[in-house]
Amino acid sequence: MSRTAKIAGVAALAGMMMAVVVAGVVTRERPAPATTPIPQATAAPEALTRELERCATLTMPDAGCEAAWAANRRRFFGEEGAQP
């Protein structure tokens, strides 16, 4: 057997071993990430939700939308008087 054939055989064997290792690492089952439940505070009032959905489609300034977004910001940041 020539020297070149021996080197090619060793390289092929090393390549197959690396392929097996990579396949084993890729297919290894990973544990699911721990999820923390998000505490559900008070649900958004349905009227505010509907108003925000309506305002999301507008392209012009609207006083009612400004008030709805302000109420939503107060509710989000937990400030007092969040109810419109």
Side-chain angles (χ1 to χ4, degrees):
M1 191 184 271
S2 71
R3 181 173 185 254
T4 306
K6 289 179 186 177
I7 292 173
V10 169
L13 181 63
M16 287 189 294
M17 290 172 58
M18 286 297 293
V20 168
V21 169
V22 169
V25 169
V26 169
T27 59
R28 183 181 304 163
E29 184 176 327
R30 295 189 177 132
T35 57
T36 56
I38 299 172
Q40 294 294 326
T42 59
E46 198 169 307
L48 179 62
T49 303
R50 278 182 283 158
E51 180 68 10
L52 290 174
E53 288 173 355
R54 181 188 73 82
C55 293
T57 63
L58 297 179
T59 57
M60 307 250 330
D62 184 91
C65 290
E66 296 295 327
W69 285 115
N72 191 45
R73 279 191 297 275
R74 284 192 305 271
R75 185 177 57 86
F76 178 79
F77 289 114
E79 297 174 12
E80 291 298 317
Q83 298 299 324

